[in-house]
Amino acid sequence: MIANARQRIRVELGDARSYDVVIGPGAIDELTAIEARTVVVLYDVAVEALAQQVLTAFGSRVLLVRGLVGGEDVKSWELAGEIYDWLADVHVDRDTVLIAIGGGTVTDLGGFIAATYLRGLRWCAVPTTLLAAVDAAVGGKTAINLSAGKNLVGVFHHPSLVAIEPAAFTTLDPRDVAAGMGEALKTALVADPELFAFLEREMPRALAADPDVLATTVAHCVAAKARVVAGDERETDDSGAGGRAILNFGHTVGHALEKTCGYGVLRHGEAIVLGMRAALALSRERGLAPAQADRIMALVNAIPAPRPDAAPDAIIKATASDKKRKAGKVRFILIHDVADPYIVDDVTEASVRAALTAIA
Ligand code: GLY
């Protein structure tokens, strides 16, 4: 995809909640087409200029604006409570649309507030990090964190529109580009062989934030996620091949690493890169062909991620509190091959310990 072309991808939910994800320059212009008597805007102060464009477009219909410093800390009960009070102060009603502009933490929080205030406001997401654009802001998962773990309180509440301006990625810190590419590669590995082939060719340009390569990557990820979400919106498919749960490839160990290292130390996408190394080692143990495992691992390893400061015992203990466990068993998403994922819940502690050597 050329970065200056606009693309529209439908997330089909089978009813009036279906919505578009618009990718390309001027995508935010489509926000004003959403029927809204008034709007409330929550934005990350890192993208002040983009937020200003949205505010200008809505003019006197803006009821409330709050700049936030994005990061896991914003997904807290305390801030959510403060925002509910602000919404009450300005008399937000059901004709108000909430617009969340920023990375995944801001869109997760904004979506959660929208889902819960007045039992549900409409909302729009403007993801401005690569990770939010390829994954977090698409698909309707919203949440806040508890000290016991990330995203433990949340609801499914889809936005009415997702507007992605690829220009926002040009100012990202290289670590954030790498983190976003981690989630993008995850999508390729479970759901999009064409994207995998593209990334095998283009990973260096992606990591250098080449606008065309990132625009193509985002479009592939959004389309793949839309397909997966359309098939299993609420992640209830328990068949071995998995429904939406396949999007958690690399996340069992990834979430455990984030918790063990301390939230915010690793970027989420970095933790997923490390978690994918462990998931690939486990996949290989269960039959992923060694040559293919090496080929995939080479692409995972091309994405820089810090060496985590976490002991195997602590990581293993943290996997046990993963919210994706079922009937007390820890679940892993593994792959037979690219785009051929499956779910297991019988991985032994010894196998996890061995797989963690892939991270060290
Ligand atoms: N981030 C995985 C999902 O949305 O299901």
Side-chain angles (χ1 to χ4, degrees):
M1 182 184 165
I2 310 296
N4 61 13
R6 205 183 292 183
Q7 190 162 331
R8 179 181 305 275
I9 296 163
R10 187 94 177 141
V11 181
E12 191 49 71
L13 301 172
D15 55 36
R17 295 170 308 134
S18 303
Y19 58 98
D20 286 343
V21 179
V22 181
I23 308 162
I28 56 167
D29 298 345
E30 305 220 2
L31 290 168
T32 49
I34 298 283
E35 224 172 275
R37 198 173 54 76
T38 50
V39 296
V40 163
V41 179
L42 300 179
Y43 72 94
D44 189 324
V45 291
V47 290
E48 184 91 45
L50 189 65
Q52 207 51 57
Q53 284 181 51
V54 173
L55 295 173
T56 304
F58 280 98
S60 61
R61 287 194 288 158
V62 178
L63 205 52
L64 178 83
V65 190
R66 284 290 184 276
L68 308 170
V69 178
E72 290 298 334
D73 286 352
V74 300
K75 291 171 61 173
S76 71
W77 273 121
E78 292 71 27
L79 183 57
E82 246 181 273
I83 296 173
Y84 293 137
D85 286 339
W86 295 335
L87 300 185
D89 283 348
V90 296
H91 307 293
V92 161
D93 63 25
R94 302 289 296 277
D95 293 324
T96 304
V97 171
L98 186 149
I99 301 174
I101 307 171
T105 56
V106 173
T107 57
D108 273 10
L109 172 75
F112 181 77
I113 298 286
T116 46
Y117 192 74
L118 297 182
R119 296 198 185 89
L121 300 174
R122 286 170 298 139
W123 74 290
C124 298
V126 182
T128 57
T129 63
L130 185 58
L131 189 134
V134 299
D135 188 63
V138 179
K141 279 188 181 174
T142 75
I144 58 171
N145 301 330
L146 298 183
S147 51
K150 266 180 74 167
N151 298 332
L152 287 181
V153 180
V155 259
F156 289 96
H157 185 56
H158 291 271
S160 303
L161 177 76
V162 179
I164 301 173
E165 295 277 351
F169 309 141
T170 56
T171 54
L172 287 178
D173 181 288
R175 266 185 84 181
D176 290 317
V177 176
M181 288 312 300
E183 281 284 10
L185 179 55
K186 170 215 75 180
T187 303
L189 288 177
V190 294
D192 190 339
E194 205 182 301
L195 178 60
F196 178 76
F198 176 76
L199 294 180
E200 272 196 309
R201 294 192 306 274
E202 300 291 5
M203 188 59 86
R205 286 173 68 204
L207 293 171
D210 177 278
D212 291 343
V213 174
L214 293 188
T216 302
T217 300
V218 171
H220 266 275
C221 288
V222 170
K225 187 153 186 186
R227 282 195 304 276
V228 172
V229 169
D232 181 24
E233 185 194 337
R234 289 179 173 247
E235 209 171 302
T236 52
D237 179 350
D238 264 337
S239 66
R244 183 167 180 165
I246 63 170
L247 297 173
N248 296 322
F249 182 69
H251 281 58
T252 307
V253 166
H255 280 157
L257 283 168
E258 284 184 274
K259 184 172 182 180
T260 313
C261 294
Y263 291 113
V265 173
L266 292 174
R267 306 280 206 274
H268 175 67
E270 292 172 336
I272 298 318
V273 169
L274 298 168
M276 286 195 294
R277 290 190 201 161
L280 276 173
L282 290 170
S283 302
R284 183 181 188 137
E285 185 189 282
R286 291 190 177 222
L288 171 63
Q292 185 69 336
D294 287 346
R295 178 181 167 202
I296 298 169
M297 191 69 99
L299 194 54
V300 173
N301 287 340
I303 303 176
R307 177 190 286 251
D309 182 15
D313 281 341
I315 301 169
I316 289 168
K317 188 168 170 227
T319 60
S321 65
D322 191 272
K323 73 178 185 308
K324 276 139 194 108
R325 71 189 184 280
K326 266 245 154 124
K329 292 180 175 169
V330 179
R331 296 204 301 172
F332 282 83
I333 314 302
L334 304 182
I335 53 172
H336 297 295
D337 201 345
V338 174
D340 189 1
Y342 60 105
I343 302 178
V344 292
D345 64 3
D346 61 349
V347 177
T348 63
E349 187 180 316
S351 290
V352 178
R353 201 173 287 279
L356 289 179
T357 59
I359 291 171

